[in-house]
Amino acid sequence: MAIKDNIKPTRSELIELKKKIKLSQSGHKLLKMKRDGLILELFAILEKARDVRAEVEKQFAIASLKLAIAKSVEGIVVVKSTAFALKDTPKLELESRNVMGVVVPKIDASSVHKRLDEHGYGIIGTSSRIDEAVDAYEILVEKVILAAEIETTMKKLLEDIEKTKRRVNALEFKVIPELTEARDFIVLRLEEMERENTFRLKKIKG
């Protein structure tokens, strides 16, 4: 910053700069606290994300195996006709919650994992292999919904952490140093002007 060209060495300008420095330092402190808090939240969610992803992979393997058994026992036609007979679809409600100023999603799901008599197909006409496959996939869908919520939350937290880090760095390495440099320049110029005035007065007196 070309300080001499842009700053007026006056006492009123010095007062304004001191206010700006104080405000910037306060903002810097708050943003650092927010960044650190968001990082802690992210680490907490990372643990959940790892667990949920492992559960999804495990349940997918179980559901795939159950489906393969159902196909081999009942036949593909019966499995497909059972799938088409399912009437009730999962209901999702997307809400939001606030995590240190970051709006993250909250998914409320209903009619996902149902009782045997709620599936919608005839229990008498199908074997337990079909029931097991349906049950396994409903559990899988529940876990996928939870994984989607957690991973979207992680993404939003990461985005806000990066944004907050950029603001912290801008204040720490650009805004505050430039304001401090400008303040020091004005203090120096005012001191020089004071000395010049004192010298001039002494000369006039002499």
Side-chain angles (χ1 to χ4, degrees):
M1 181 171 72
I3 296 173
K4 292 184 180 180
D5 297 333
N6 298 314
I7 300 297
K8 294 176 183 177
T10 62
R11 296 199 180 278
S12 59
E13 187 73 19
L14 180 61
I15 290 166
E16 282 301 311
L17 274 171
K18 284 180 177 178
K19 285 179 184 175
K20 286 179 182 176
I21 290 168
K22 192 175 179 181
L23 186 64
S24 298
Q25 287 172 337
S26 176
H28 178 256
K29 185 180 177 182
L30 288 171
L31 284 170
K32 277 184 78 174
M33 286 169 64
K34 181 185 177 181
R35 180 199 63 191
D36 295 344
L38 287 172
I39 289 169
L40 287 173
E41 285 286 340
L42 181 65
F43 281 135
I45 289 172
L46 272 171
E47 291 294 323
K48 290 182 188 175
R50 272 195 288 265
D51 292 343
V52 170
R53 185 170 281 275
E55 286 174 17
V56 167
E57 289 173 359
K58 182 182 175 182
Q59 188 59 34
F60 178 73
I62 293 167
S64 298
L65 178 63
K66 298 283 185 186
L67 181 61
I69 293 168
K71 282 180 181 178
S72 64
V73 173
E74 297 290 329
I76 294 174
V77 174
V78 174
V79 171
K80 283 187 176 180
S81 64
T82 304
F84 285 122
L86 296 171
K87 296 173 184 177
D88 198 14
T89 55
K91 293 178 180 64
L92 302 179
E93 285 186 16
L94 187 61
E95 297 176 358
S96 60
R97 61 190 181 94
N98 195 303
V99 179
M100 298 197 70
V102 184
V103 178
V104 297
K106 179 171 171 52
I107 304 172
D108 286 327
S110 59
S111 301
V112 180
H113 189 200
K114 298 181 281 292
R115 295 198 314 266
L116 186 62
D117 59 335
E118 293 176 332
H119 287 145
Y121 57 82
I123 300 172
I124 297 170
T126 56
S127 72
S128 61
R129 303 297 185 186
I130 295 283
D131 299 332
E132 288 172 7
V134 170
D135 190 65
Y137 269 96
E138 285 178 348
I139 293 169
L140 176 61
V141 170
E142 275 189 332
K143 293 188 182 298
V144 166
I145 291 167
L146 180 59
E149 180 185 312
I150 290 172
E151 291 192 8
T152 306
T153 299
M154 279 176 55
K155 185 182 175 186
K156 285 189 170 290
L157 285 175
L158 277 168
E159 286 172 356
D160 212 79
I161 287 168
E162 283 303 312
K163 192 163 63 177
T164 306
K165 276 171 69 178
R166 285 197 296 272
R167 287 176 179 172
V168 167
N169 289 341
L171 284 167
E172 188 172 343
F173 299 110
K174 183 173 171 59
V175 177
I176 293 172
E178 286 184 355
L179 289 172
T180 304
E181 191 180 353
R183 180 202 61 193
D184 293 345
F185 168 72
I186 291 177
V187 169
L188 186 66
R189 284 294 296 127
L190 288 173
E191 286 174 353
E192 284 177 358
M193 288 163 69
E194 188 69 33
R195 282 196 297 271
E196 285 171 7
N197 286 335
T198 304
F199 179 74
R200 196 180 295 112
L201 285 169
K202 281 182 180 178
K203 198 173 180 182
I204 290 167
K205 233 179 182 182

